[in-house]
Amino acid sequence: MAGHHIFVALLRGINVGGKNKVSMPELRSLLESMGLENVASYVQSGNVVFRSAAGDARRLAAQIEQRVGDEFGVRPKVLMRTPAELDAIVGRNPYLSRASDLSKLHVVFLGGKTSAGKAAELDPKRSPPDEFSLDGREIYLHLPNGAARTKLTIDYFERRLGTDATARNWKTLVALQSLARRSVS
């Protein structure tokens, strides 16, 4: 059946601090004009779920980056995950069982897998009492003092690991999981 691949696209760095403004209705229209179907967005930070006849996530991400750049004059990185990947990410959070406050949980999504050598360069004591756990293409964060004060920033992980990254809080991630599941059914 056409349009049976479902993707969650995470756009890095739009609508942050009043910069790189992209309206979600305009973004949805742009993606629909590219032939993507059932396009739904969540909040303003660049989270989109859609169906695609094409199954190549990397190529789709590059096309979205190009079209968003042409249309809005901003060039966000687009990181893609499938509904099954989101389910696995939610299920593997090592901090979920002991975090009494879910607002302290975040996930950093990476553009690619990290080599053992690069992973070893991450400093577990960079920002106590904050903790992180690298798992494949994701880094789980537990930030007891909140995201505003941590030194475990997207920029830090991008620099150390040499890959693109974007982060989402736990509430957003669970909402995207639900949105993606609805698209599957």
Side-chain angles (χ1 to χ4, degrees), residues 128-141:
D130 301 335
E131 300 171 273
F132 67 88
S133 173
L134 174 63
D135 183 353
R137 293 190 301 159
E138 283 75 38
I139 300 171
Y140 295 95
L141 302 179

Side-chain angles (χ1 to χ4, degrees), residues 51-88:
R51 283 179 185 261
S52 169
D56 185 334
R58 283 189 182 278
R59 174 182 266 171
L60 266 174
Q63 290 170 343
I64 293 169
E65 287 169 9
Q66 178 76 45
R67 290 291 301 275
V68 169
D70 293 346
E71 183 78 15
F72 301 108
V74 299
R75 195 50 71 91
K77 285 315 271 179
V78 176
L79 303 183
M80 306 274 269
R81 297 294 187 270
T82 65
E85 286 170 333
L86 279 195
D87 285 345

Side-chain angles (χ1 to χ4, degrees), residues 30-49:
L30 176 69
L31 297 181
E32 286 164 358
S33 77
M34 293 172 63
L36 304 176
E37 303 166 0
N38 294 21
V39 180
S41 60
Y42 177 75
V43 299
Q44 296 301 307
S45 53
N47 310 291
V48 188
V49 177

Side-chain angles (χ1 to χ4, degrees), residues 77-149:
K77 285 315 271 179
V78 176
L79 303 183
M80 306 274 269
R81 297 294 187 270
T82 65
E85 286 170 333
L86 279 195
D87 285 345
I89 292 162
V90 168
R92 288 199 313 257
N93 190 329
Y95 306 117
L96 193 56
S97 60
R98 62 184 172 87
S100 55
D101 182 352
L102 297 183
S103 73
K104 308 300 185 189
L105 299 180
H106 302 259
V107 176
V108 177
F109 295 86
L110 304 174
K113 283 210 166 133
T114 301
S115 70
K118 292 254 189 220
E121 292 178 24
L122 296 175
D123 177 6
K125 298 187 169 38
R126 176 174 170 80
S127 187
D130 301 335
E131 300 171 273
F132 67 88
S133 173
L134 174 63
D135 183 353
R137 293 190 301 159
E138 283 75 38
I139 300 171
Y140 295 95
L141 302 179
H142 179 230
L143 309 176
N145 296 330
R149 305 177 64 161

Side-chain angles (χ1 to χ4, degrees), residues 121-123 126 151 153-160:
E121 292 178 24
L122 296 175
D123 177 6
R126 176 174 170 80
K151 293 179 185 163
T153 61
I154 294 170
D155 290 337
Y156 169 73
F157 289 118
E158 283 185 329
R159 270 198 323 273
R160 285 295 166 100

